[in-house]
């Protein structure tokens, strides 16, 4: 089988296995991505509402202090001073309480009597003002709650650091800001003009129902991947292991044969079918004048498998066609380099079956094969087995005619063992007969069956057919057949089927020895 198909198949197997291995990670990744996104949205929403709740509590404290001291806005500062300080000292988060009369602060919890104008228009909804600092703490933000009754009223302030603490601590992963009218404050306590940039991820905006401000929350870019990495790495590791196992399993499954036919197909792509050659020898002198090509399956686990086991299956499935082509290609890749060892018209017998004849590619395969050799250095003989009956139809006749024109000869294999041997002789223009080893074996015993062998030999003489006797195991068989004029012999006595390289090495050895 061509190496490229093998590589393609291996690549395909690898790609599929890789995809299967990546599948849990990909699917898991998508689900985790989606879950993380939903989780971040939930987290941002939860953080904003938590911050809103805490800031509402702080502002409610300021509003409570303002209500408790409003009545003092009508009296002198001296009467209110102690009450104001008491509020600052006892009410959580309230930093100062200041009384306003006729649009001016006239009394503060810090300085007592005081005088400063109040810009009522700066208060959102007349009630809240976010400032980057004031005269007492210019570097610290503060939020001022205003309770007004006409031009009188109370200003209660909450330190911005409480707010920034809330924004920071309520959720350490999300970012939160508080927006009060035209200003906003970040987690660091910095006050900015305008509105903050939109958060790239899971932005949420929640407005207080009690005071005129909003908390805006969200996550910076990349937070999703960081969260996935930080929170889900054990799951990713598990998915990776799972994917690895799936991939290995898939690779193994794809390499495993589901059926015998599938296993033969796999073996073919893996190049496991190889040619073995058994020498054909001259009956007189023992010179190697050719070889029969016999297919062997070098199975990675079972070792060498006999063709009797896999050829019938290969014929049934039609795989015998590419297998035969592969056999011819393997021979054509090696033997022409040694054509000087082969001598003139070296005989090469190749087994073919009905499927090969029907396939439509046999002629091309033979043409390619013969084209690889120097002209006349080999003769190709197709040996027709009788396992599948070959019908005589116009297509077969035409094919055999074209093959004959190409110089390919035709032999009937295992002659006499099938039920159609004589019919074959009648139907086809046959060049040679291969006498089956079961008839050759009759040489050794004196039985009547030896007469059948003699009759076949007579028949061959009358029909002017070339004879090759196979299965010669003893010198008595050799001598008998040689005496009966059989020119070409094959059998264990001369050599067993051997790998191609071994056959070439033996040819070289014989050439050196002058055999
Ligand atoms: N006992 C004994 N046996 C001997 C002796 N000399 C040779 N043999 C065996 O006899 C068989 C001769 O091949 P075949 O009759 O064409 O019979 C072949 C042939 O019909 C089929 N076959 C082999 N290769 C191919 C192929 O490439 N294509 C097709 N279609 N069939 C093949 O498988 C059959 C079996 O092949 P193998 O097992 O290789 O068996 C071979 C060979 O090893 C001997 O002295 N004693």
């Amino acid at each position: 089988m061509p190496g490229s198909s093998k590589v393609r198949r291996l690549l395909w197997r690898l790609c599929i296995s890789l995809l299967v291995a990546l599948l849990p990670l990909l699917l898991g990744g998508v689900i985790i991505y989606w879950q993380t996104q939903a989780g971040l949205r939930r987290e941002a929403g939860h953080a904003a509402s938590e911050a809103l709740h805490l800031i509402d509590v702080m502002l409610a404290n300021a509003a409570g202090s303002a209500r408790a001291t409003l009545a003092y806005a009508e009296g002198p500062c001296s009467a209110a001073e102690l009450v104001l300080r008491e509020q600052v000292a006892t009410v959580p988060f309230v930093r100062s309480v200041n009384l306003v009369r006729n649009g001016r602060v006239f009394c503060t919890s810090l300085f007592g009597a005081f005088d400063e104008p109040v810009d009522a228009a700066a208060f959102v909804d007349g009630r809240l003002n976010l400032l980057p600092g004031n005269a007492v703490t210019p570097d610290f933000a503060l939020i001022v709650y205003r309770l007004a009754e006409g031009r009188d009223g109370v200003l209660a302030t909450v330190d911005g650091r409480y707010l920034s603490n809330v924004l920071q601590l309520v959720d350490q992963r999300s970012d939160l800001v508080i927006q009060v009218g035209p200003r906003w404050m970040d987690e660091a306590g910095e006050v900015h003009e305008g509105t903050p940039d939109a958060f790239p991820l899971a932005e949420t905006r929640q407005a207080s129902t009690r005071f005129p401000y909003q908390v805006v929350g969200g996550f910076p870019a990349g937070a999703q991947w960081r969260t996935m990495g930080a929170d889900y790495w054990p799951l990713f590791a598990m998915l990776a292991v799972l994917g690895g196992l799936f991939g290995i399993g898939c690779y193994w499954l794809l390499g495993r044969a589901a059926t015998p036919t599938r296993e033969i197909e796999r073996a073919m792509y893996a190049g496991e079918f190889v040619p073995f050659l058994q020498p054909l020898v001259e009956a007189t002198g023992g010179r190697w004048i050719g070889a029969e090509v016999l297919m062997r399956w070098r199975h990675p686990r079972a070792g060498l498998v006999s063709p009797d086991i896999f050829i019938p299956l290969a014929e049934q499935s039609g795989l015998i066609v590419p297998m035969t082509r592969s056999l011819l290609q393997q021979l054509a890749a090696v033997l022409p380099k040694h054509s000087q060892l082969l001598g003139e018209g070296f005989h090469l017998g190749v087994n073919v079956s009905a499927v090969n004849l029907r396939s439509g590619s046999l002629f091309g395969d033979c043409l390619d094969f013969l084209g690889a050799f120097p002209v006349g250095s080999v003769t190709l003989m197709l040996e027709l087995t009788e396992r599948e009956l070959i019908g005589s139809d116009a297509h077969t006749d035409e094919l055999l005619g074209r093959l004959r024109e190409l110089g390919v000869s035709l032999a009937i294999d295992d002659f006499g063992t099938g039920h159609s041997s004589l019919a074959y002789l009648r139907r086809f223009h046959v060049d040679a007969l291969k006498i089956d080893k079961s008839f050759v074996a009759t040489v050794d015993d004196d039985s009547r069956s030896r007469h059948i062998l003699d009759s076949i030999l007579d028949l061959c003489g009358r029909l002017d057919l070339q004879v090759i006797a196979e299965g010669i195991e003893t010198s008595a068989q050799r001598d008998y057949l040689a005496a009966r004029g059989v020119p070409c012999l094959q059998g264990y006595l001369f050599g067993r089927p051997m790998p191609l390289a071994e056959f070439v090495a033996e040819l070289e050895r014989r050439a050196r020895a002058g055999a």
Side-chain angles (χ1 to χ4, degrees):
M1 196 42 47
S4 62
S5 311
K6 203 173 149 188
V7 170
R8 260 206 312 278
R9 202 177 152 75
L10 187 73
L11 276 178
W12 177 82
R13 195 173 153 201
L14 275 173
C15 287
I16 297 286
S17 309
L18 203 71
L19 265 181
V20 170
L22 287 177
L23 214 62
L25 266 182
L26 288 177
L27 285 181
V30 169
I31 294 171
I32 290 172
Y33 183 89
W34 175 79
Q35 263 215 329
T36 311
Q37 210 168 44
L40 290 182
R41 266 200 303 275
R42 261 198 316 276
E43 189 176 332
H46 180 74
S49 73
E50 191 71 6
L52 201 77
H53 171 70
L54 291 173
I55 293 169
D56 271 358
V57 168
M58 291 175 185
L59 292 176
N61 284 2
S65 290
R67 270 195 309 277
T69 53
L70 181 63
Y72 293 91
E74 291 171 2
C77 182
S78 55
E81 256 178 274
L82 212 60
V83 180
L84 299 183
R85 284 189 194 127
E86 187 193 344
Q87 286 297 318
V88 171
T90 57
V91 181
F93 310 118
V94 176
R95 194 178 97 178
S96 69
V97 183
N98 308 323
L99 298 179
V100 178
R101 187 181 298 146
N102 291 324
R104 297 186 80 84
V105 174
F106 74 93
C107 187
T108 74
S109 54
L110 185 61
F111 301 116
F114 200 73
D115 183 38
E116 194 178 72
V118 176
D119 178 12
F123 287 80
V124 180
D125 199 20
R127 292 199 290 161
L128 272 192
N129 192 9
L130 176 66
L131 296 167
N134 64 3
V136 181
T137 53
D139 296 330
F140 295 116
L142 62 147
I143 192 162
V144 185
Y145 174 79
R146 174 172 174 260
L147 179 64
E149 211 165 67
R151 287 181 50 82
D152 299 347
V154 181
L155 301 179
T157 63
V158 174
D159 196 314
R161 279 170 291 189
Y162 290 130
L163 301 182
S164 81
N165 286 352
V166 166
L167 298 179
Q168 274 169 25
L169 298 177
V170 114
D171 183 81
Q172 298 191 4
R173 293 204 305 187
S174 62
D175 287 340
L176 291 171
V177 303
I178 173 171
Q179 175 95 50
V180 184
R183 297 200 191 98
W184 60 278
M185 191 183 85
D186 61 22
E187 287 185 356
E190 297 249 348
V191 174
H192 310 265
E193 296 294 329
T195 48
D197 291 340
F199 284 100
L201 209 65
E203 183 175 278
T204 177
R205 185 174 286 270
Q206 294 188 22
S208 166
T209 50
R210 297 172 65 185
F211 302 98
Y213 76 96
Q214 289 181 337
V215 170
V216 187
F219 288 88
Q224 183 150 1
W225 299 110
R226 278 195 295 278
T227 309
M228 281 170 76
D231 293 0
Y232 290 98
W233 72 263
L235 196 58
F236 274 119
M238 207 187 75
L239 288 174
V241 171
L242 209 66
L245 291 177
F246 281 179
I248 292 169
C250 174
Y251 188 79
W252 177 75
L253 271 178
L254 287 176
R256 205 188 58 138
T259 60
T261 306
R262 174 75 183 76
E263 171 68 357
I264 291 178
E265 194 182 1
R266 181 204 63 72
M268 186 179 69
Y269 284 113
E272 288 171 16
F273 294 109
V274 292
F276 269 47
L277 277 77
Q278 187 179 26
L280 300 183
V281 304
E282 219 170 31
T284 50
R287 192 167 61 93
W288 282 21
I289 53 169
E292 179 177 6
V293 183
L294 294 159
M295 199 182 294
R296 292 287 181 273
W297 181 356
R298 274 193 207 282
H299 195 279
R301 287 183 298 280
L304 272 190
V305 180
S306 154
D308 291 328
I309 295 175
F310 63 85
I311 292 286
L313 272 169
E315 286 176 344
Q316 270 170 33
S317 62
L319 286 168
I320 191 70
V321 174
M323 285 160 74
T324 306
R325 183 180 309 129
S326 161
L327 218 60
L328 290 172
Q329 286 168 347
Q330 291 179 62
L331 293 170
V334 175
L335 282 182
K337 289 181 246 168
H338 306 282
S339 52
Q340 81 288 352
L341 296 173
L342 306 177
E344 191 72 0
F346 194 79
H347 175 110
L348 284 171
V350 174
N351 289 283
V352 289
S353 60
V355 193
N356 291 98
L357 291 185
R358 283 197 300 262
S359 73
S361 61
L362 186 63
F363 182 81
D365 294 340
C366 293
L367 190 68
D368 291 345
F369 177 74
L370 290 173
F373 290 87
V375 180
S377 64
V378 290
T379 56
L380 177 60
M381 176 176 279
L382 299 182
E383 301 184 9
L384 287 179
T385 52
E386 290 183 64
R387 212 170 283 115
E388 266 191 277
L389 282 179
I390 297 171
S392 168
D393 52 34
H395 166 75
T396 313
D397 293 345
E398 195 242 34
L399 171 68
L400 294 178
R402 287 169 68 208
L403 285 169
R404 174 159 294 103
E405 279 167 27
L406 195 64
V408 178
S409 54
L410 194 67
I412 294 189
D413 203 4
D414 308 332
F415 186 79
T417 57
H419 44 270
S420 56
S421 310
L422 287 171
Y424 269 30
L425 283 184
R426 213 160 21 90
R427 274 195 214 143
F428 303 114
H429 185 132
V430 174
D431 301 288
L433 291 188
K434 289 196 81 173
I435 300 177
D436 186 64
K437 50 184 169 288
S438 57
F439 295 114
V440 170
T442 61
V443 167
D444 297 328
D445 45 83
D446 242 354
S447 67
R448 283 176 54 204
S449 47
R450 192 156 113 181
H451 298 307
I452 302 176
L453 172 64
D454 295 339
S455 305
I456 295 174
L457 293 176
D458 281 347
L459 183 70
C460 290
R462 277 176 223 271
L463 295 178
D464 198 20
L465 292 174
Q466 194 188 333
V467 190
I468 301 169
E470 60 185 2
I472 317 295
E473 291 181 349
T474 65
S475 39
Q477 291 167 349
R478 179 196 58 202
D479 296 342
Y480 182 85
L481 290 162
R484 294 294 320 252
V486 177
C488 185
L489 306 176
Q490 175 187 352
Y492 292 168
L493 182 67
F494 313 107
R496 286 181 178 256
M498 59 192 88
L500 182 53
E502 204 176 299
F503 185 82
V504 170
E506 180 59 21
L507 276 180
E508 278 167 345
R509 195 193 64 73
R510 296 174 76 87
R512 278 197 304 274

